[in-house]
Amino acid sequence: MSAAAIAFSTPADAPRWQRWLVFSPGARIVFFAVTMAILGFAAHAVVASLGWTAKTAGPLHFALALLAVELLPALIAYAILVKAIERRRLRELALRDVPTFGLGGFAGGLVLFSAVVGLLWLLGSYHVLGTNPHADWLPQVLVAGIGAGIAEEIITRGVLFRVAEEGLGSGWALLISAVFFGAAHIANPGATLWSSAAIAIEAGILLALLYLVTRSLWTCIGLHAAWNIAQGTIYGIPVSGTHADGWLVSSRSGPDWLSGGAFGAEASVVALALCSLCSVALLVVAWRRRLFVPPCWRRR
């Protein structure tokens, strides 16, 4: 297996204290988390001063406030981590990759979730009740699509998976980032231990493998954003438990293990099965290309 894909390596001439307190995987993860928290407080203060979170604020202003608080702290903190600590180019977020990896991931996300809905419809669980051409879709696209897609991928795949992989190798990084991603959704409306486990397996593993194969966060961002947009804005299904007004007015019936229940189709065995098949395909690709990074103690 090869370690050539690792984005950052500790400088050979770094003193011992810097190796532990600045450049180690744990130190960089903590640095990112603290920086993002500070920037998050600042973003909250700014949007509050603009009145975007007031009860009188319109839906678009409120959505922009959520987008700013969700997106900017993660994006800026990641840029500081890469530029100030790792001192390298942001190759995994190179803008030149948006038309290829980004749009490819977006198209894949639309197809994948449409396949989930298609199977639920064939199984008699998904029902279209009508259309809603006046759906307030822009706030949903901004927050659940763009905001969640970029911020959550930076945190989970850009920081947690990538940095953990440098020390523990791809296998442990895959497990840790997937468990974290599932646990991060446990407080969502309608969430259960099953829904968090499903999210960890179907999305946490799939998106980490997607990053492992492409080494581009844009692929993960595109798929993540398209999945959420298709689920809520197009098919009218709750996004990780959050109500969404879609262009299609829909309902789901049957047992929760099939329909996903109040959490949405992400908690359905159909989504779990289809995403797991995609993960197996990516796993085969990664294994054949020898893309798995071994733990640091095996690279010496």
mmCIF file of all heavy atoms in Angstrom, residues 235-283:
data_model
loop_
_atom_site.group_PDB
_atom_site.id
_atom_site.type_symbol
_atom_site.label_atom_id
_atom_site.label_comp_id
_atom_site.label_asym_id
_atom_site.label_seq_id
_atom_site.Cartn_x
_atom_site.Cartn_y
_atom_site.Cartn_z
ATOM 1 N N TYR A 235 -37.812 15.944 -3.749
ATOM 2 C CA TYR A 235 -38.758 14.864 -3.403
ATOM 3 C C TYR A 235 -39.573 15.120 -2.144
ATOM 4 O O TYR A 235 -40.443 14.312 -1.807
ATOM 5 C CB TYR A 235 -37.997 13.545 -3.280
ATOM 6 C CG TYR A 235 -37.387 13.094 -4.585
ATOM 7 C CD1 TYR A 235 -36.004 13.095 -4.770
ATOM 8 C CD2 TYR A 235 -38.183 12.699 -5.650
ATOM 9 C CE1 TYR A 235 -35.438 12.697 -5.972
ATOM 10 C CE2 TYR A 235 -37.644 12.296 -6.856
ATOM 11 C CZ TYR A 235 -36.263 12.296 -7.010
ATOM 12 O OH TYR A 235 -35.708 11.903 -8.217
ATOM 13 N N GLY A 236 -39.327 16.224 -1.446
ATOM 14 C CA GLY A 236 -40.152 16.586 -0.293
ATOM 15 C C GLY A 236 -40.047 15.642 0.885
ATOM 16 O O GLY A 236 -41.024 15.424 1.601
ATOM 17 N N ILE A 237 -38.862 15.082 1.108
ATOM 18 C CA ILE A 237 -38.621 14.157 2.219
ATOM 19 C C ILE A 237 -37.775 14.882 3.267
ATOM 20 O O ILE A 237 -36.857 15.626 2.909
ATOM 21 C CB ILE A 237 -37.892 12.893 1.723
ATOM 22 C CG1 ILE A 237 -38.750 12.160 0.690
ATOM 23 C CG2 ILE A 237 -37.554 11.966 2.881
ATOM 24 C CD1 ILE A 237 -38.041 10.995 0.018
ATOM 25 N N PRO A 238 -38.053 14.703 4.557
ATOM 26 C CA PRO A 238 -37.217 15.349 5.585
ATOM 27 C C PRO A 238 -35.739 15.027 5.407
ATOM 28 O O PRO A 238 -35.374 13.898 5.087
ATOM 29 C CB PRO A 238 -37.756 14.749 6.894
ATOM 30 C CG PRO A 238 -39.164 14.362 6.575
ATOM 31 C CD PRO A 238 -39.155 13.924 5.140
ATOM 32 N N VAL A 239 -34.901 16.042 5.581
ATOM 33 C CA VAL A 239 -33.454 15.881 5.439
ATOM 34 C C VAL A 239 -32.851 15.672 6.823
ATOM 35 O O VAL A 239 -32.784 16.598 7.619
ATOM 36 C CB VAL A 239 -32.814 17.098 4.755
ATOM 37 C CG1 VAL A 239 -31.304 16.909 4.610
ATOM 38 C CG2 VAL A 239 -33.451 17.347 3.393
ATOM 39 N N SER A 240 -32.462 14.450 7.113
ATOM 40 C CA SER A 240 -31.915 14.100 8.433
ATOM 41 C C SER A 240 -32.836 14.573 9.554
ATOM 42 O O SER A 240 -32.392 15.146 10.541
ATOM 43 C CB SER A 240 -30.509 14.683 8.606
ATOM 44 O OG SER A 240 -29.634 14.187 7.628
ATOM 45 N N GLY A 241 -34.129 14.378 9.376
ATOM 46 C CA GLY A 241 -35.108 14.729 10.387
ATOM 47 C C GLY A 241 -35.675 16.130 10.272
ATOM 48 O O GLY A 241 -36.662 16.454 10.938
ATOM 49 N N THR A 242 -35.074 16.979 9.448
ATOM 50 C CA THR A 242 -35.518 18.366 9.305
ATOM 51 C C THR A 242 -36.560 18.480 8.204
ATOM 52 O O THR A 242 -36.320 18.033 7.073
ATOM 53 C CB THR A 242 -34.330 19.287 8.994
ATOM 54 O OG1 THR A 242 -33.346 19.147 10.023
ATOM 55 C CG2 THR A 242 -34.777 20.736 8.916
ATOM 56 N N HIS A 243 -37.693 19.081 8.509
ATOM 57 C CA HIS A 243 -38.775 19.219 7.536
ATOM 58 C C HIS A 243 -38.323 20.004 6.315
ATOM 59 O O HIS A 243 -37.561 20.971 6.431
ATOM 60 C CB HIS A 243 -39.977 19.917 8.168
ATOM 61 C CG HIS A 243 -41.068 20.225 7.192
ATOM 62 N ND1 HIS A 243 -41.922 19.259 6.706
ATOM 63 C CD2 HIS A 243 -41.422 21.406 6.599
ATOM 64 C CE1 HIS A 243 -42.768 19.823 5.859
ATOM 65 N NE2 HIS A 243 -42.487 21.118 5.774
ATOM 66 N N ALA A 244 -38.779 19.588 5.138
ATOM 67 C CA ALA A 244 -38.421 20.272 3.897
ATOM 68 C C ALA A 244 -39.662 20.424 3.027
ATOM 69 O O ALA A 244 -40.469 19.500 2.913
ATOM 70 C CB ALA A 244 -37.348 19.497 3.154
ATOM 71 N N ASP A 245 -39.819 21.603 2.435
ATOM 72 C CA ASP A 245 -40.884 21.839 1.458
ATOM 73 C C ASP A 245 -40.312 21.580 0.074
ATOM 74 O O ASP A 245 -39.507 22.363 -0.443
ATOM 75 C CB ASP A 245 -41.399 23.278 1.552
ATOM 76 C CG ASP A 245 -42.153 23.532 2.837
ATOM 77 O OD1 ASP A 245 -42.918 22.643 3.250
ATOM 78 O OD2 ASP A 245 -41.982 24.607 3.431
ATOM 79 N N GLY A 246 -40.716 20.479 -0.535
ATOM 80 C CA GLY A 246 -40.170 20.104 -1.829
ATOM 81 C C GLY A 246 -41.075 20.483 -2.983
ATOM 82 O O GLY A 246 -42.244 20.839 -2.792
ATOM 83 N N TRP A 247 -40.524 20.404 -4.177
ATOM 84 C CA TRP A 247 -41.335 20.633 -5.371
ATOM 85 C C TRP A 247 -42.381 19.533 -5.524
ATOM 86 O O TRP A 247 -43.442 19.755 -6.101
ATOM 87 C CB TRP A 247 -40.425 20.671 -6.601
ATOM 88 C CG TRP A 247 -39.549 21.893 -6.631
ATOM 89 C CD1 TRP A 247 -39.870 23.138 -6.158
ATOM 90 C CD2 TRP A 247 -38.220 21.994 -7.148
ATOM 91 N NE1 TRP A 247 -38.827 24.004 -6.353
ATOM 92 C CE2 TRP A 247 -37.801 23.335 -6.953
ATOM 93 C CE3 TRP A 247 -37.349 21.102 -7.742
ATOM 94 C CZ2 TRP A 247 -36.546 23.782 -7.352
ATOM 95 C CZ3 TRP A 247 -36.100 21.546 -8.133
ATOM 96 C CH2 TRP A 247 -35.705 22.865 -7.948
ATOM 97 N N LEU A 248 -42.086 18.351 -5.004
ATOM 98 C CA LEU A 248 -43.077 17.284 -4.941
ATOM 99 C C LEU A 248 -43.611 17.197 -3.516
ATOM 100 O O LEU A 248 -42.831 17.195 -2.561
ATOM 101 C CB LEU A 248 -42.458 15.943 -5.337
ATOM 102 C CG LEU A 248 -41.999 15.777 -6.785
ATOM 103 C CD1 LEU A 248 -41.364 14.406 -6.987
ATOM 104 C CD2 LEU A 248 -43.165 15.963 -7.752
ATOM 105 N N VAL A 249 -44.915 17.139 -3.379
ATOM 106 C CA VAL A 249 -45.532 16.917 -2.070
ATOM 107 C C VAL A 249 -45.679 15.405 -1.916
ATOM 108 O O VAL A 249 -46.321 14.753 -2.748
ATOM 109 C CB VAL A 249 -46.908 17.602 -1.977
ATOM 110 C CG1 VAL A 249 -47.538 17.346 -0.617
ATOM 111 C CG2 VAL A 249 -46.768 19.096 -2.243
ATOM 112 N N SER A 250 -45.073 14.858 -0.888
ATOM 113 C CA SER A 250 -45.002 13.400 -0.798
ATOM 114 C C SER A 250 -45.295 12.903 0.608
ATOM 115 O O SER A 250 -45.320 13.667 1.573
ATOM 116 C CB SER A 250 -43.612 12.918 -1.220
ATOM 117 O OG SER A 250 -42.628 13.360 -0.289
ATOM 118 N N SER A 251 -45.517 11.617 0.687
ATOM 119 C CA SER A 251 -45.641 10.938 1.985
ATOM 120 C C SER A 251 -44.976 9.583 1.848
ATOM 121 O O SER A 251 -44.722 9.101 0.742
ATOM 122 C CB SER A 251 -47.113 10.772 2.386
ATOM 123 O OG SER A 251 -47.773 9.873 1.501
ATOM 124 N N ARG A 252 -44.684 8.965 2.986
ATOM 125 C CA ARG A 252 -44.087 7.632 3.002
ATOM 126 C C ARG A 252 -44.885 6.762 3.968
ATOM 127 O O ARG A 252 -45.358 7.238 4.990
ATOM 128 C CB ARG A 252 -42.625 7.694 3.434
ATOM 129 C CG ARG A 252 -41.677 8.231 2.369
ATOM 130 C CD ARG A 252 -40.338 8.672 2.941
ATOM 131 N NE ARG A 252 -40.528 9.807 3.839
ATOM 132 C CZ ARG A 252 -40.227 9.783 5.130
ATOM 133 N NH1 ARG A 252 -39.719 8.683 5.681
ATOM 134 N NH2 ARG A 252 -40.436 10.836 5.889
ATOM 135 N N SER A 253 -45.033 5.526 3.605
ATOM 136 C CA SER A 253 -45.795 4.604 4.440
ATOM 137 C C SER A 253 -44.984 3.334 4.657
ATOM 138 O O SER A 253 -43.951 3.127 4.030
ATOM 139 C CB SER A 253 -47.136 4.261 3.777
ATOM 140 O OG SER A 253 -46.912 3.642 2.513
ATOM 141 N N GLY A 254 -45.491 2.494 5.543
ATOM 142 C CA GLY A 254 -44.812 1.241 5.830
ATOM 143 C C GLY A 254 -43.984 1.332 7.094
ATOM 144 O O GLY A 254 -43.910 2.388 7.734
ATOM 145 N N PRO A 255 -43.346 0.251 7.478
ATOM 146 C CA PRO A 255 -42.527 0.246 8.706
ATOM 147 C C PRO A 255 -41.351 1.206 8.582
ATOM 148 O O PRO A 255 -40.874 1.495 7.475
ATOM 149 C CB PRO A 255 -42.055 -1.212 8.803
ATOM 150 C CG PRO A 255 -42.160 -1.747 7.395
ATOM 151 C CD PRO A 255 -43.326 -1.052 6.780
ATOM 152 N N ASP A 256 -40.886 1.697 9.727
ATOM 153 C CA ASP A 256 -39.813 2.677 9.733
ATOM 154 C C ASP A 256 -38.540 2.152 9.077
ATOM 155 O O ASP A 256 -37.790 2.930 8.465
ATOM 156 C CB ASP A 256 -39.505 3.127 11.168
ATOM 157 C CG ASP A 256 -40.578 4.047 11.728
ATOM 158 O OD1 ASP A 256 -41.497 4.416 10.970
ATOM 159 O OD2 ASP A 256 -40.509 4.384 12.925
ATOM 160 N N TRP A 257 -38.276 0.849 9.204
ATOM 161 C CA TRP A 257 -37.051 0.310 8.609
ATOM 162 C C TRP A 257 -37.076 0.418 7.096
ATOM 163 O O TRP A 257 -36.020 0.454 6.444
ATOM 164 C CB TRP A 257 -36.820 -1.142 9.034
ATOM 165 C CG TRP A 257 -37.914 -2.111 8.660
ATOM 166 C CD1 TRP A 257 -38.943 -2.526 9.441
ATOM 167 C CD2 TRP A 257 -38.071 -2.780 7.405
ATOM 168 N NE1 TRP A 257 -39.746 -3.409 8.759
ATOM 169 C CE2 TRP A 257 -39.232 -3.587 7.508
ATOM 170 C CE3 TRP A 257 -37.369 -2.785 6.210
ATOM 171 C CZ2 TRP A 257 -39.681 -4.391 6.450
ATOM 172 C CZ3 TRP A 257 -37.807 -3.571 5.150
ATOM 173 C CH2 TRP A 257 -38.949 -4.357 5.287
ATOM 174 N N LEU A 258 -38.287 0.515 6.523
ATOM 175 C CA LEU A 258 -38.412 0.668 5.072
ATOM 176 C C LEU A 258 -38.529 2.137 4.679
ATOM 177 O O LEU A 258 -37.794 2.619 3.800
ATOM 178 C CB LEU A 258 -39.629 -0.100 4.566
ATOM 179 C CG LEU A 258 -39.940 0.035 3.067
ATOM 180 C CD1 LEU A 258 -38.775 -0.504 2.237
ATOM 181 C CD2 LEU A 258 -41.237 -0.691 2.722
ATOM 182 N N SER A 259 -39.432 2.871 5.306
ATOM 183 C CA SER A 259 -39.686 4.263 4.925
ATOM 184 C C SER A 259 -38.648 5.232 5.484
ATOM 185 O O SER A 259 -38.437 6.308 4.937
ATOM 186 C CB SER A 259 -41.075 4.688 5.419
ATOM 187 O OG SER A 259 -41.106 4.763 6.837
ATOM 188 N N GLY A 260 -38.020 4.852 6.582
ATOM 189 C CA GLY A 260 -37.093 5.758 7.259
ATOM 190 C C GLY A 260 -37.750 6.524 8.392
ATOM 191 O O GLY A 260 -37.057 7.194 9.156
ATOM 192 N N GLY A 261 -39.073 6.456 8.485
ATOM 193 C CA GLY A 261 -39.783 7.120 9.573
ATOM 194 C C GLY A 261 -39.636 8.628 9.551
ATOM 195 O O GLY A 261 -39.430 9.252 8.493
ATOM 196 N N ALA A 262 -39.716 9.230 10.721
ATOM 197 C CA ALA A 262 -39.678 10.692 10.835
ATOM 198 C C ALA A 262 -38.326 11.262 10.446
ATOM 199 O O ALA A 262 -38.222 12.439 10.075
ATOM 200 C CB ALA A 262 -40.014 11.108 12.267
ATOM 201 N N PHE A 263 -37.279 10.457 10.507
ATOM 202 C CA PHE A 263 -35.938 10.949 10.184
ATOM 203 C C PHE A 263 -35.777 11.183 8.690
ATOM 204 O O PHE A 263 -34.986 12.020 8.263
ATOM 205 C CB PHE A 263 -34.892 9.951 10.671
ATOM 206 C CG PHE A 263 -33.483 10.471 10.626
ATOM 207 C CD1 PHE A 263 -33.023 11.353 11.591
ATOM 208 C CD2 PHE A 263 -32.616 10.078 9.620
ATOM 209 C CE1 PHE A 263 -31.723 11.841 11.555
ATOM 210 C CE2 PHE A 263 -31.320 10.551 9.575
ATOM 211 C CZ PHE A 263 -30.871 11.434 10.548
ATOM 212 N N GLY A 264 -36.516 10.446 7.873
ATOM 213 C CA GLY A 264 -36.385 10.571 6.423
ATOM 214 C C GLY A 264 -35.839 9.303 5.806
ATOM 215 O O GLY A 264 -35.488 8.338 6.493
ATOM 216 N N ALA A 265 -35.717 9.319 4.492
ATOM 217 C CA ALA A 265 -35.317 8.117 3.754
ATOM 218 C C ALA A 265 -33.896 7.682 4.062
ATOM 219 O O ALA A 265 -33.508 6.552 3.745
ATOM 220 C CB ALA A 265 -35.463 8.357 2.256
ATOM 221 N N GLU A 266 -33.094 8.535 4.673
ATOM 222 C CA GLU A 266 -31.726 8.146 5.039
ATOM 223 C C GLU A 266 -31.705 7.008 6.053
ATOM 224 O O GLU A 266 -30.710 6.284 6.156
ATOM 225 C CB GLU A 266 -30.982 9.350 5.603
ATOM 226 C CG GLU A 266 -30.692 10.416 4.561
ATOM 227 C CD GLU A 266 -30.296 11.736 5.189
ATOM 228 O OE1 GLU A 266 -30.885 12.101 6.220
ATOM 229 O OE2 GLU A 266 -29.406 12.400 4.650
ATOM 230 N N ALA A 267 -32.793 6.852 6.808
ATOM 231 C CA ALA A 267 -32.878 5.771 7.790
ATOM 232 C C ALA A 267 -33.554 4.533 7.220
ATOM 233 O O ALA A 267 -33.896 3.618 7.966
ATOM 234 C CB ALA A 267 -33.630 6.252 9.033
ATOM 235 N N SER A 268 -33.729 4.487 5.912
ATOM 236 C CA SER A 268 -34.351 3.337 5.265
ATOM 237 C C SER A 268 -33.292 2.306 4.885
ATOM 238 O O SER A 268 -32.161 2.655 4.506
ATOM 239 C CB SER A 268 -35.096 3.791 4.002
ATOM 240 O OG SER A 268 -35.445 2.687 3.193
ATOM 241 N N VAL A 269 -33.645 1.034 4.954
ATOM 242 C CA VAL A 269 -32.714 -0.010 4.539
ATOM 243 C C VAL A 269 -32.425 0.082 3.044
ATOM 244 O O VAL A 269 -31.397 -0.412 2.575
ATOM 245 C CB VAL A 269 -33.253 -1.419 4.885
ATOM 246 C CG1 VAL A 269 -33.318 -1.619 6.380
ATOM 247 C CG2 VAL A 269 -34.605 -1.674 4.232
ATOM 248 N N VAL A 270 -33.314 0.722 2.296
ATOM 249 C CA VAL A 270 -33.082 0.896 0.861
ATOM 250 C C VAL A 270 -31.883 1.810 0.636
ATOM 251 O O VAL A 270 -30.984 1.497 -0.164
ATOM 252 C CB VAL A 270 -34.339 1.470 0.180
ATOM 253 C CG1 VAL A 270 -34.053 1.819 -1.274
ATOM 254 C CG2 VAL A 270 -35.491 0.473 0.261
ATOM 255 N N ALA A 271 -31.866 2.952 1.339
ATOM 256 C CA ALA A 271 -30.724 3.857 1.229
ATOM 257 C C ALA A 271 -29.454 3.187 1.726
ATOM 258 O O ALA A 271 -28.377 3.319 1.130
ATOM 259 C CB ALA A 271 -30.993 5.142 2.024
ATOM 260 N N LEU A 272 -29.573 2.448 2.827
ATOM 261 C CA LEU A 272 -28.423 1.752 3.391
ATOM 262 C C LEU A 272 -27.855 0.747 2.394
ATOM 263 O O LEU A 272 -26.632 0.661 2.205
ATOM 264 C CB LEU A 272 -28.831 1.049 4.685
ATOM 265 C CG LEU A 272 -27.733 0.307 5.442
ATOM 266 C CD1 LEU A 272 -26.676 1.268 5.943
ATOM 267 C CD2 LEU A 272 -28.335 -0.474 6.608
ATOM 268 N N ALA A 273 -28.725 0.002 1.741
ATOM 269 C CA ALA A 273 -28.277 -1.032 0.805
ATOM 270 C C ALA A 273 -27.617 -0.419 -0.428
ATOM 271 O O ALA A 273 -26.539 -0.852 -0.852
ATOM 272 C CB ALA A 273 -29.460 -1.908 0.396
ATOM 273 N N LEU A 274 -28.258 0.597 -1.022
ATOM 274 C CA LEU A 274 -27.705 1.190 -2.239
ATOM 275 C C LEU A 274 -26.372 1.882 -1.972
ATOM 276 O O LEU A 274 -25.418 1.748 -2.747
ATOM 277 C CB LEU A 274 -28.701 2.188 -2.835
ATOM 278 C CG LEU A 274 -29.922 1.589 -3.535
ATOM 279 C CD1 LEU A 274 -30.804 2.696 -4.101
ATOM 280 C CD2 LEU A 274 -29.494 0.648 -4.652
ATOM 281 N N CYS A 275 -26.293 2.632 -0.882
ATOM 282 C CA CYS A 275 -25.040 3.314 -0.547
ATOM 283 C C CYS A 275 -23.945 2.310 -0.207
ATOM 284 O O CYS A 275 -22.774 2.529 -0.541
ATOM 285 C CB CYS A 275 -25.251 4.280 0.615
ATOM 286 S SG CYS A 275 -26.260 5.718 0.198
ATOM 287 N N SER A 276 -24.322 1.223 0.445
ATOM 288 C CA SER A 276 -23.336 0.195 0.780
ATOM 289 C C SER A 276 -22.779 -0.467 -0.481
ATOM 290 O O SER A 276 -21.586 -0.785 -0.552
ATOM 291 C CB SER A 276 -23.951 -0.858 1.704
ATOM 292 O OG SER A 276 -24.312 -0.285 2.948
ATOM 293 N N LEU A 277 -23.624 -0.669 -1.489
ATOM 294 C CA LEU A 277 -23.146 -1.216 -2.758
ATOM 295 C C LEU A 277 -22.139 -0.270 -3.409
ATOM 296 O O LEU A 277 -21.111 -0.718 -3.948
ATOM 297 C CB LEU A 277 -24.333 -1.459 -3.698
ATOM 298 C CG LEU A 277 -25.236 -2.652 -3.375
ATOM 299 C CD1 LEU A 277 -26.441 -2.683 -4.320
ATOM 300 C CD2 LEU A 277 -24.460 -3.958 -3.473
ATOM 301 N N CYS A 278 -22.425 1.030 -3.356
ATOM 302 C CA CYS A 278 -21.480 2.018 -3.891
ATOM 303 C C CYS A 278 -20.177 1.996 -3.104
ATOM 304 O O CYS A 278 -19.086 2.110 -3.684
ATOM 305 C CB CYS A 278 -22.098 3.414 -3.847
ATOM 306 S SG CYS A 278 -23.513 3.650 -4.941
ATOM 307 N N SER A 279 -20.283 1.841 -1.789
ATOM 308 C CA SER A 279 -19.081 1.786 -0.950
ATOM 309 C C SER A 279 -18.234 0.563 -1.290
ATOM 310 O O SER A 279 -16.999 0.644 -1.329
ATOM 311 C CB SER A 279 -19.470 1.758 0.532
ATOM 312 O OG SER A 279 -20.076 2.976 0.920
ATOM 313 N N VAL A 280 -18.878 -0.568 -1.525
ATOM 314 C CA VAL A 280 -18.143 -1.781 -1.897
ATOM 315 C C VAL A 280 -17.395 -1.565 -3.208
ATOM 316 O O VAL A 280 -16.223 -1.967 -3.352
ATOM 317 C CB VAL A 280 -19.100 -2.988 -2.002
ATOM 318 C CG1 VAL A 280 -18.386 -4.190 -2.636
ATOM 319 C CG2 VAL A 280 -19.632 -3.361 -0.627
ATOM 320 N N ALA A 281 -18.062 -0.914 -4.178
ATOM 321 C CA ALA A 281 -17.408 -0.637 -5.459
ATOM 322 C C ALA A 281 -16.185 0.260 -5.269
ATOM 323 O O ALA A 281 -15.118 0.014 -5.856
ATOM 324 C CB ALA A 281 -18.403 0.016 -6.418
ATOM 325 N N LEU A 282 -16.323 1.298 -4.446
ATOM 326 C CA LEU A 282 -15.193 2.186 -4.175
ATOM 327 C C LEU A 282 -14.090 1.467 -3.414
ATOM 328 O O LEU A 282 -12.896 1.719 -3.640
ATOM 329 C CB LEU A 282 -15.668 3.401 -3.380
ATOM 330 C CG LEU A 282 -16.507 4.425 -4.148
ATOM 331 C CD1 LEU A 282 -17.098 5.452 -3.183
ATOM 332 C CD2 LEU A 282 -15.657 5.128 -5.204
ATOM 333 N N LEU A 283 -14.485 0.576 -2.505
ATOM 334 C CA LEU A 283 -13.510 -0.196 -1.741
ATOM 335 C C LEU A 283 -12.666 -1.067 -2.672
ATOM 336 O O LEU A 283 -11.436 -1.167 -2.512
ATOM 337 C CB LEU A 283 -14.237 -1.067 -0.714
ATOM 338 C CG LEU A 283 -13.386 -1.812 0.310
ATOM 339 C CD1 LEU A 283 -12.635 -0.829 1.191
ATOM 340 C CD2 LEU A 283 -14.273 -2.710 1.157
#
